[in-house]
């Protein structure tokens, strides 16, 4: 063995029990994660087929457009969203829905977000009575539009996204509210599809999540995606794969099992009275979407009340994703930090029979995938090459293991694409499918490793007690 490796070899030999134990831990966690993905695949397919068959029913659509359709308030928290906020609101106003109000919450933006809204929609100050049922920062002024009587804009002091949503909950008047990010666009029929579970089970449904798709590269006209196209840059392309994989496999499967633990903050519908009962969104975490869902689970389980949450795949919300490594890294570190904040805040629910399937399955899934997953993979990146260099790992085993990991990752990603194309037909051209398949291959060589590093940064930030979102750079969604 070369001389430069002798100190490493001495260290490993002196700590052989710990090194072997860690190696078996990494291998065991890898097997468990892969088993989780394998179990999710058939569950996701069954749920997707069930949804597709119900979607074909004309009676369901007749019910939705009838007079009994539940009114919805769209809450759009916005902080420095001047690049896309006007298109977002235009999309809200163009939705196919019988009764909807749009409430934009300008959370102390430092750019021209508020000015663009005032100029575009001819906003004027109005008086709107409300009760402060959940806490939030001071509201400076409320605006409305003479041309759009169901559009309201709240101008408030900076308090963060959760605080902005709380202000919207107080101001809105409808029994359901839908949270939509300020950099996102809803398809015209998305709200109709997303509300259907509430109409089918009005007594028990408390929250519904929809699909988020990458809008980078798409052609936008009048606040709507006019032409679906792939982005040219690699980072938006690989995020397209990640979003398809996360929504069409993980969330469909969790919804099928009745253990949905997260509804995306970019597009989720909640019962207003339930959100008020649990005290609104907490402002002590950046994982406010995860936290609200877990808080509702805990509250209703403690109250011994029957309830349901569901994810539906077809309501689509298009969002702008980061196009630089710096912005993407900050986002992923923040996501991991938010997951850790919420998980440990409600950690007593893990494997707690009192919380049923949520504690036994939902929290266990979060532990394996979100909490321990990045730590295990990063440790593997360090330990596997180390053991190979000092001769403790057989080269044939190493190559077989790496090949299996690569093939399995490719299998999961391509299966997600196949499921989407079979049932939803969201990729318009065969050439685009080939591009996405190529990205499925390439992401395993570098991007996946960097992504886990970003999540490890989230761990470090959590342990260091970092708070706040940080700034995100928006280019704005492309327009024709």
């Amino acid at each position: 063995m070369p001389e430069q490796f002798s100190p490493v070899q001495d260290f490993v030999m002196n700590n052989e029990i710990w090194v072997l134990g860690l190696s078996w831990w990494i291998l065991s966690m890898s097997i468990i994660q892969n088993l989780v993905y394998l179990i999710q695949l058939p569950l996701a397919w069954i749920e997707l087929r069930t949804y597709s068959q119900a979607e074909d029913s004309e009676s369901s659509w007749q019910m939705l457009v009838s007079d009994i359709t539940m009114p919805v308030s769209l809450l759009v928290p916005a902080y420095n969203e001047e690049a896309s906020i006007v298109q977002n609101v235009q999309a809200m106003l163009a939705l196919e829905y019988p009764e909807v109000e749009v409430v934009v919450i300008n959370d102390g933006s430092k750019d021209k977000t508020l000015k663009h809204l005032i100029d575009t929609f001819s906003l004027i100050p109005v008086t709107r009575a409300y009760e402060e049922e959940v806490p939030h920062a001071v509201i400076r002024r409320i605006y409305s539009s003479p041309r759009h009587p169901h559009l309201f804009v709240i101008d408030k002091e900076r308090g963060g996204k959760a605080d902005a949503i709380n202000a919207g909950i107080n101001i809105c008047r409808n029994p359901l509210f839908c949270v939509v990010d300020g950099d996102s666009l809803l398809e015209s029929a998305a709200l109709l599809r997303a509300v259907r579970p509430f109409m089918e089970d009005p007594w028990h449904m408390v929250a519904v999540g929809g699909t988020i798709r990458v809008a980078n590269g798409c052609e936008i006209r009048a606040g709507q995606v006019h032409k679906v196209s792939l982005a040219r840059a690699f980072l938006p392309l690989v995020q397209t794969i990640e979003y398809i994989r996360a929504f069409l496999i993980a969330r469909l499967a969790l919804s099928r099992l009745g253990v949905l633990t997260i509804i995306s903050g970019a597009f989720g519908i909640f019962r207003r009275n339930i959100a008020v009962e649990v005290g609104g969104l907490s402002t002590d975490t950046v994982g406010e979407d995860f936290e609200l869902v877990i808080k509702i689970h805990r509250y209703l389980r403690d109250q011994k009340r029957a309830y349901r949450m569901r994810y539906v795949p077809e309501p689509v919300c298009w969002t702008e994703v980061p196009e630089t490594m710096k912005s993407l890294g900050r986002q992923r570190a923040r996501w991991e930090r938010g997951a850790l904040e919420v998980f440990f805040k409600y950690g007593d629910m893990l494997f707690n029979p009192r919380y049923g399937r949520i504690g036994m399955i939902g929290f266990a899934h979060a532990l394996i995938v979100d909490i321990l997953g990045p730590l295990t993979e990063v440790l593997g990146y360090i330990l596997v090459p180390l053991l190979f260099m000092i001769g403790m790992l057989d080269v044939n085993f190493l190559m077989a293991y790496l090949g299996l990991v690569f093939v399995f990752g490719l299998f999961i990603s391509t299966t997600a694409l196949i499921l989407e194309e079979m049932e939803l037909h969201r990729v318009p051209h065969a050439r685009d499918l080939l591009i996405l398949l190529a990205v499925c291959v390439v992401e395993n060589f570098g991007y996946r490793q960097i992504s886990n590093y970003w999540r490890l940064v989230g761990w470090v930030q959590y342990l260091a007690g970092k708070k706040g979102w940080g700034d995100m750079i928006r280019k704005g969604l492309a327009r024709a």
Side-chain angles (χ1 to χ4, degrees):
M1 177 180 177
E3 182 63 28
Q4 62 266 31
F5 293 139
S6 57
V8 175
Q9 188 174 28
D10 289 340
F11 173 81
V12 173
M13 293 302 180
N14 292 331
N15 298 273
E16 185 174 358
I17 295 178
W18 287 101
V19 171
L20 289 176
L22 191 58
S23 301
W24 279 109
W25 163 261
I26 293 171
L27 183 60
S28 300
M29 283 299 300
S30 177
I31 293 172
I32 291 172
Q33 286 189 48
N34 290 337
L35 285 174
V36 168
Y37 297 140
L38 282 175
I39 292 171
Q40 287 178 344
L41 280 174
L43 291 172
W45 181 78
I46 293 171
E47 183 72 358
L48 188 57
R49 287 294 299 160
T50 301
Y51 173 82
S52 297
Q53 291 168 0
E55 183 73 6
D56 294 335
S57 171
E58 288 188 18
S59 60
S60 64
W61 281 101
Q62 292 171 354
M63 176 184 68
L64 285 171
V65 299
S66 70
D67 294 335
I68 63 170
T69 305
M70 299 178 71
V72 178
S73 296
L74 294 171
L75 307 186
V76 188
Y79 175 68
N80 293 347
E81 300 285 359
E82 65 177 7
S84 58
I85 189 62
V86 169
Q87 293 179 74
N88 178 282
V89 174
Q90 288 174 336
M92 302 299 104
L93 296 173
L95 288 173
E96 299 172 1
Y97 201 81
E99 188 174 349
V100 63
E101 67 174 358
V102 180
V103 181
V104 183
I105 308 99
N106 179 50
D107 189 41
S109 296
K110 299 176 182 178
D111 63 0
K112 297 181 180 179
T113 297
L114 181 61
K115 185 178 186 303
H116 286 347
L117 289 169
I118 292 174
D119 293 344
T120 304
F121 300 103
S122 304
L123 300 178
I124 58 174
V126 296
T127 299
R128 186 175 172 93
Y130 67 94
E131 294 184 18
E132 194 165 319
E133 297 178 281
V134 293
H136 55 76
V138 174
I139 291 177
R140 295 185 285 223
R141 186 166 289 181
I142 301 175
Y143 297 87
S144 184
S145 170
R147 293 187 289 112
H148 305 282
H150 299 296
L151 170 62
F152 297 90
V153 175
I154 302 170
D155 182 32
K156 62 180 287 293
E157 296 182 359
R158 176 70 173 154
K161 183 178 179 181
D163 188 90
I165 296 172
N166 283 343
I169 291 173
N170 282 336
I171 295 296
C172 74
R173 300 283 174 83
N174 292 327
L176 301 178
F177 70 87
C178 176
V179 179
V180 184
D181 276 352
D183 60 346
S184 303
L185 303 172
L186 285 182
E187 291 187 347
S188 60
L191 203 55
L192 280 173
R193 291 189 169 104
V195 168
R196 191 173 72 185
F198 289 98
M199 305 298 293
E200 294 172 340
D201 191 1
W203 301 110
H204 300 112
M205 195 65 60
V206 297
V208 172
T211 296
I212 311 298
R213 291 295 303 265
V214 174
N216 303 51
C218 295
E219 183 181 306
I220 310 297
R221 293 183 183 177
Q224 290 289 305
V225 175
H226 177 72
K227 181 181 179 181
V228 177
S229 302
L230 296 180
R232 296 181 180 180
F234 174 74
L235 286 182
L237 283 173
V238 75
Q239 289 174 84
T240 299
I241 294 297
E242 289 180 315
Y243 276 55
I244 292 173
R245 191 166 53 219
F247 284 97
L248 282 188
I249 294 183
R251 296 195 188 178
L252 268 176
L254 293 175
S255 179
R256 184 69 184 180
L257 291 172
V259 295
L260 197 62
T261 55
I262 184 168
I263 290 174
S264 175
F267 182 35
I269 302 180
F270 300 86
R271 284 193 178 273
R272 182 184 182 278
N273 67 309
I274 297 296
V276 170
E277 285 183 41
V278 302
L281 282 74
S282 301
T283 57
D284 59 352
T285 174
V286 293
E288 74 289 327
D289 45 5
F290 185 18
E291 200 268 350
L292 177 60
V293 174
I294 297 302
K295 184 191 290 188
I296 291 174
H297 278 303
R298 185 186 188 105
Y299 174 78
L300 294 177
R301 289 275 178 176
D302 287 341
Q303 295 282 320
K304 301 186 185 305
R305 290 161 60 178
Y307 70 97
R308 290 181 63 199
M309 294 185 186
R310 190 178 172 193
Y311 162 75
V312 285
E314 183 61 10
V316 170
C317 175
W318 296 89
T319 191
E320 178 188 4
V321 299
E323 294 192 359
T324 67
M325 295 286 283
K326 185 177 181 180
S327 294
L328 183 58
R330 285 178 177 176
Q331 181 194 67
R332 296 310 165 86
R334 186 182 72 246
W335 285 0
E336 183 66 21
R337 176 160 50 97
L340 292 166
E341 289 170 348
V342 175
F343 182 85
F344 288 111
K345 181 178 181 179
Y346 297 93
D348 62 326
M349 294 175 67
L350 178 65
F351 299 134
N352 189 336
R354 177 178 181 177
Y355 298 103
R357 286 177 292 179
I358 296 301
M360 303 300 290
I361 301 176
F363 255 69
H365 178 271
L367 175 67
I368 294 169
V369 176
D370 299 319
I371 308 303
L372 297 179
L375 292 179
T376 302
E377 289 212 30
V378 171
L379 283 173
Y381 300 154
I382 298 171
L383 190 59
V384 170
L386 183 65
L387 294 177
F388 174 71
M389 287 189 295
I390 64 175
M392 291 187 65
L393 191 62
D394 181 73
V395 64
N396 293 324
F397 175 83
L398 175 63
M399 298 306 296
Y401 176 76
L402 294 178
L404 182 61
V405 170
F406 166 74
V407 170
F408 189 82
L410 181 61
F411 170 72
I412 294 295
S413 298
T414 53
T415 302
L417 280 174
I418 292 170
L419 283 176
E420 182 184 60
E421 187 59 21
M422 285 174 56
E423 302 295 339
L424 303 180
H425 312 292
R426 284 286 174 175
V427 181
H429 306 293
R431 178 177 61 87
D432 293 337
L433 276 175
L434 293 176
I435 292 173
L436 291 177
L437 285 172
V439 173
C440 291
V441 176
V442 174
E443 70 166 333
N444 291 279
F445 301 98
Y447 177 79
R448 178 174 175 176
Q449 291 73 30
I450 294 173
S451 181
N452 279 303
Y453 165 75
W454 288 330
R455 296 174 71 186
L456 185 62
V457 171
W459 258 100
V460 174
Q461 292 176 352
Y462 169 74
L463 294 175
K466 182 176 179 178
K467 301 294 182 182
W469 272 59
D471 294 330
M472 291 294 291
I473 299 174
R474 304 292 189 191
K475 294 177 59 178
L477 298 175
R479 286 175 286 184

